[in-house]
């Protein structure tokens, strides 16, 4: 994926000199990158009940009723809203959980994860 920077080692061996069996270590300027973070974004639609969205945000994103209601209203008004920020795998799991719960309840609620721009 284009957004992932490879974690190059900060020290890399270069070709051994002939004869003496020694290896010269070269220090590189490249530093190890911290893991990139992903925001889970919920999208508005015209059919999913507000109450269902609030419950989903509480259940899967650990928000209390007040915070979940604020996020739901933001999504309703702006078209989208961030429910939480996680490592890539956790964010993908949250998306799956939300989509699964919505599908089972017969609602068209959509949810995506996207890299947080630094
Ligand atoms: N717009 C929906 C309604 O009026 C409520 C809603 C909010 C749906 C947030 C999806 O992610 C959503 N019933």
């Amino acid at each position: 994926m284009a957004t992932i920077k490879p974690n190059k080692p900060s020290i890399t061996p270069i070709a051994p000199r002939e004869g003496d069996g020694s290896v010269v270590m070269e220090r590189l300027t490249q530093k190890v990158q911290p893991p990139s973070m992903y925001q889970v974004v919920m999208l508005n639609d015209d059919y999913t009940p507000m109450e269902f969205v609030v419950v989903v945000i509480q259940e899967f994103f650990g928000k209390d009723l007040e915070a979940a209601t604020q996020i739901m209203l933001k999504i309703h008004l702006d078209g989208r809203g961030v429910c939480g920020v996680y490592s890539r795998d956790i964010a993908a799991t949250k998306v799956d959980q939300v989509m699964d719960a919505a599908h089972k309840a017969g609602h068209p609620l959509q949810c995506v994860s996207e890299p947080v721009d630094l």
Side-chain angles (χ1 to χ4, degrees):
M1 189 183 298
T3 54
I4 298 177
K5 300 190 191 87
N7 283 341
K8 292 203 185 124
S10 56
I11 306 259
T12 276
I14 62 175
R17 277 197 297 266
E18 222 158 289
D20 62 2
S22 65
V23 175
V24 176
M25 305 303 280
E26 180 190 21
R27 189 172 295 280
L28 303 176
T29 51
Q30 170 94 32
K31 292 270 161 53
V32 172
Q33 298 294 317
S36 31
M37 300 298 281
Y38 286 70
Q39 56 192 14
V40 178
V41 177
M42 207 173 280
L43 308 177
N44 190 38
D45 66 73
D46 292 338
Y47 305 103
T48 304
M50 291 183 174
E51 297 75 16
F52 181 82
V53 177
V54 170
V55 169
V56 161
I57 294 172
Q58 288 181 90
E59 182 151 332
F60 296 118
F61 300 98
K63 308 295 186 189
D64 63 22
L65 176 61
E66 174 84 20
T69 303
Q70 294 296 326
I71 293 169
M72 182 281 295
L73 285 174
K74 189 203 182 293
I75 302 164
H76 179 71
L77 295 172
D78 296 352
R80 51 180 269 148
V82 175
C83 295
V85 176
Y86 306 94
S87 64
R88 188 174 58 164
D89 287 1
I90 301 290
T93 299
K94 300 282 179 191
V95 169
D96 287 348
Q97 288 172 328
V98 169
M99 300 289 281
D100 189 50
H103 186 79
K104 283 178 173 147
H107 301 311
L109 182 63
Q110 295 291 308
C111 186
V112 298
S113 79
E114 59 187 34
V116 177
D117 25 57
L118 299 175

